[in-house]
């Protein structure tokens, strides 16, 4: 009898854990849809409705919008940083930096520019901000590419990584205001950056 009770008791927590994992995955999938559609106008309550769960379920897993956002973009940020590590060996330091900044701008445009707006926040060391680690990883990647461009390319020594990312975030935001202008990011980068940024190549060119 004791064994049967033990099995029942141990089965309930396992089912609860499985339900919690399934709910969390459903919330993340719904959040990506809602943020992509509505950007900064999205709310956790709207995510809960899309995921077909109660608001309490969303808040239990993600107490703030930033906590939810960082869970969505953590993998994306790692991929952007990995791309930066690859480009750190590019034969032309200016080109490597320019390519990465263009890819970072595309990343910042995700979710209707919501990520760009969140990453534009000034993060104080140790303030516990949910996006601080993502922000720090991106700044470190930009810094590595920037230092290389300063040493062997054309970037002025006074440019620093946080300011450069603020600039590209602003370019990403501007591109969101003109979604039909597909070349706007490239043009603004070419105007803004003294790092060998070039205009986009005509279609079909090598």
């Amino acid at each position: 009898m004791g064994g049967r009770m033990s099995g029942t008791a141990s089965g309930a927590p396992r089912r609860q854990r499985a339900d919690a994992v399934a709910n969390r995955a459903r919330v993340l999938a719904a959040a990506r849809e809602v943020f992509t559609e509505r950007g900064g106008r999205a709310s956790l309550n709207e995510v809960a409705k899309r995921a077909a769960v109660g608001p309490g379920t969303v808040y239990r897993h993600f107490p703030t919008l930033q906590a939810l956002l960082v869970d969505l973009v953590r993998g994306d940020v790692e991929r952007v940083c990995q791309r930066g590590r690859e480009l750190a060996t590019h034969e032309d330091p200016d080109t490597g930096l320019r390519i990465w900044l263009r890819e970072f701008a595309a990343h910042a445009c995700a979710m209707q520019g919501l990520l760009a707006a969140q990453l534009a926040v000034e993060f104080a060391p140790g303030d516990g901000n949910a996006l601080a680690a993502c922000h720090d990883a991106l700044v470190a990647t930009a810094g590595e590419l920037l230092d290389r461009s300063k040493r062997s390319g054309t970037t002025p020594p006074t440019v620093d990584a946080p300011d450069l990312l603020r600039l590209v975030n602003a370019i990403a935001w501007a591109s969101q205001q003109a979604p039909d202008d597909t070349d706007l990011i490239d043009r603004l980068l070419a105007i803004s950056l003294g790092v060998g940024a070039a205009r986009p190549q005509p279609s079909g060119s090598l």
Side-chain angles (χ1 to χ4, degrees), residues 99-119:
I99 292 171
W100 187 79
L101 290 174
R102 178 63 179 82
E103 295 184 13
F104 170 75
H107 170 67
C109 284
M111 305 179 196
Q112 300 277 339
L114 175 61
L115 186 59
Q118 294 291 321
L119 289 176

Side-chain angles (χ1 to χ4, degrees), residues 103-170:
E103 295 184 13
F104 170 75
H107 170 67
C109 284
M111 305 179 196
Q112 300 277 339
L114 175 61
L115 186 59
Q118 294 291 321
L119 289 176
V121 173
E122 190 70 30
F123 295 98
D127 68 357
N129 190 290
L131 282 176
C134 292
H135 175 269
D136 292 347
L138 291 166
V139 170
T141 301
E144 181 180 359
L145 291 164
L146 186 60
D147 288 345
R148 191 166 177 260
S149 181
K150 288 178 181 179
R151 291 193 304 270
S152 305
T154 62
T155 301
T158 54
V159 177
D160 71 1
D163 282 349
L164 187 57
L165 291 189
R166 290 187 187 99
L167 173 63
V168 180
N169 262 329

Side-chain angles (χ1 to χ4, degrees), residues 71-87:
D71 213 295
L72 283 175
V73 304
R74 186 184 288 114
D76 297 337
V77 168
E78 175 53 35
R79 284 187 286 275
V80 171
C81 291
Q82 176 58 36
R83 179 63 171 147
R85 290 189 285 272
E86 294 168 0
L87 288 168

